[in-house]
Amino acid sequence: MLKCLIVGLGGALGAMLRYLIGLIPLKEAFVFPIKTFLINIAGCFVIGLVVALSIKLNNLNEKTILFLKAGLCGGFTTFSSFALESTDLIKSGHTGLAILYISLSILLGVFAVLVAQFLVK
């Protein structure tokens, strides 16, 4: 139960950070969603850093890793978990499966949003 609370606290912090970044006023002269893009890339960097440090130092507290990886990064963006899982598949020699996972996640994710929006209209 304590682990769930730790992940929840990290998730709340990540979600609040995402919300606050979304409030930053930008003069966007183009349609590209720069804030979401930067949030996703930052989340990928942080989750990569957490995983690399936990492997390199081999003494990071499990609860700290949960707070940062599943909590903070998960609340900030699930894209970071998606990127980490894709990388893990590639590193473990499952490149074809990684390509399938990446492709299906993007295509079906966009399709699911379109279907949901269509059903509501």
Side-chain angles (χ1 to χ4, degrees), residues 36-51:
T36 299
F37 177 76
L38 293 175
I39 286 167
N40 286 336
I41 301 306
C44 290
F45 177 79
V46 170
I47 204 168
L49 192 62
V50 169
V51 170

Side-chain angles (χ1 to χ4, degrees), residues 34-94:
I34 190 71
K35 289 186 266 187
T36 299
F37 177 76
L38 293 175
I39 286 167
N40 286 336
I41 301 306
C44 290
F45 177 79
V46 170
I47 204 168
L49 192 62
V50 169
V51 170
L53 286 173
S54 69
I55 291 169
K56 184 175 183 176
L57 300 178
N58 200 27
N59 65 350
L60 283 182
N61 183 299
E62 178 190 7
K63 291 177 183 109
T64 301
I65 294 169
L66 279 174
F67 177 83
L68 295 171
K69 190 174 144 185
L72 182 72
C73 290
F76 192 57
T77 172
T78 58
F79 189 79
S80 58
S81 296
F82 166 72
L84 179 64
E85 291 165 351
S86 300
T87 302
D88 288 345
L89 284 170
I90 292 168
K91 286 174 23 180
S92 66
H94 298 98

Side-chain angles (χ1 to χ4, degrees), residues 5-21:
L5 183 59
I6 289 169
V7 171
L9 290 172
L13 180 60
M16 288 186 282
L17 285 172
R18 181 180 179 101
Y19 171 74
L20 290 172
I21 290 171

